[in-house]
Amino acid sequence: MRLELSAEDQAFRKEMREFFTTQVPEEIRTAVLDGRELSKEQVVESQRALNAGGLAVPGWPVEWGGRDWSQLQRHLWHEEMQAAGVPLPLPFNTSMIGPVIAHFGSQEVKERFLPPTANLDIWWSQGFSEPDAGSDLAGLRTTAVRDGDDWVVNGQKTWTTLGQHGDWIFTLVRTDPEAKKQLGISMLLIDMTSPGVEVRPIQLIDGGHEVNEVWFTDVRVPGENLVGEVNQGWTMAKFLLGNERVGVAPVGSVKRMLVRAKQVGGDRLADPLLRARIADLENELLALELTTLRVVAHSAGGAPHPASSVLKLRGTELQQAASELLLDLAGPQSLASGADPDAGGTDAPGWARRAAPTYLNLRKASIYGGSNEIQRQIIARTILGL
């Protein structure tokens, strides 16, 4: 594989860097680089700036805002965005439900939902996981029963990330309880302001409110909110999760974490064990980056390569290892994570105070997007043929 960019690709990289560092507000980018939490308004403002420049949904079909870029250009766009501290376009919108609607939706559904999805006029939530299904997504129990022109939905979803901001939720629902479990599932788009929809917060170990339970009690959903055909939901779920895994390799953010480690390491960088630890992570990250390029280059027809499971597995492992490195460097100062420096409660720097919550938060990375155990099974069966 050629590792040097052509003059054309270098110019493309420069174009992306210039846009990201001039068109997205500096306050938002600084917050991302410092590891601080963004408000909903900041996420929306950033994505609308990207969409205004035609850079929010480059992977979509051109008629709906895509850019028909090469896979290398999409990689450079993604890498430069992370390097500049620009929040990634909301994945629920841009890499999950957007591509599904573009691929499976009717023309009416596309016209209704794709423009506001790209511009984040609609904030989508994901309604896949259920309490009793675990990693067996096909084991879901939420039902949708046809009643006249509507579907009536009952059940519960869980681990709905940022569901407190959601306007709409895309859900997998059981529409044929008699069929083999993968064959009796459909996808419905549900307005979260509908009567019978209730969002309940879940408190996380890092102290934040990032995920939720979503309950459905006799929720009436118009028939036209079905995506694709009845009982085609499992096909769409696999399509969506494959796209999710392609975008889940956080190469840019792990690079930033390693840069931060070198910046705050100080005199400790003279320790050969610490230097070896950082070098090992950098080499592993380079291998992941090259693997990412190979995977996207072999994705065709809108369907991600099966090796996207490798990206999910290895990407989350490196992300967790980098967060553990920063936690170790912060040492006792990481215990001041809840202290308010403005109140004189601590003199620990911001990166050190955020080290423990970030480390704890990223433990979830082994589970979301299909657990790492499931990814190992996919790799064993689909790639290695075991």
Side-chain angles (χ1 to χ4, degrees), residues 41 70 124 130 135 161 173 179 189 242 244 268 346 357 359-360 370:
E41 290 72 23
S70 68
W124 286 97
E130 295 194 8
S135 295
T161 304
V173 293
L189 309 178
E244 181 184 19
R268 288 171 291 183
T346 178
Y359 168 83
L360 293 170

Side-chain angles (χ1 to χ4, degrees), residues 287-310:
L288 176 64
E289 187 172 16
L290 295 177
T291 303
T292 301
L293 286 172
R294 286 198 294 271
V295 170
V296 296
H298 289 86
S299 296
H305 191 276
S308 58
S309 291
V310 176

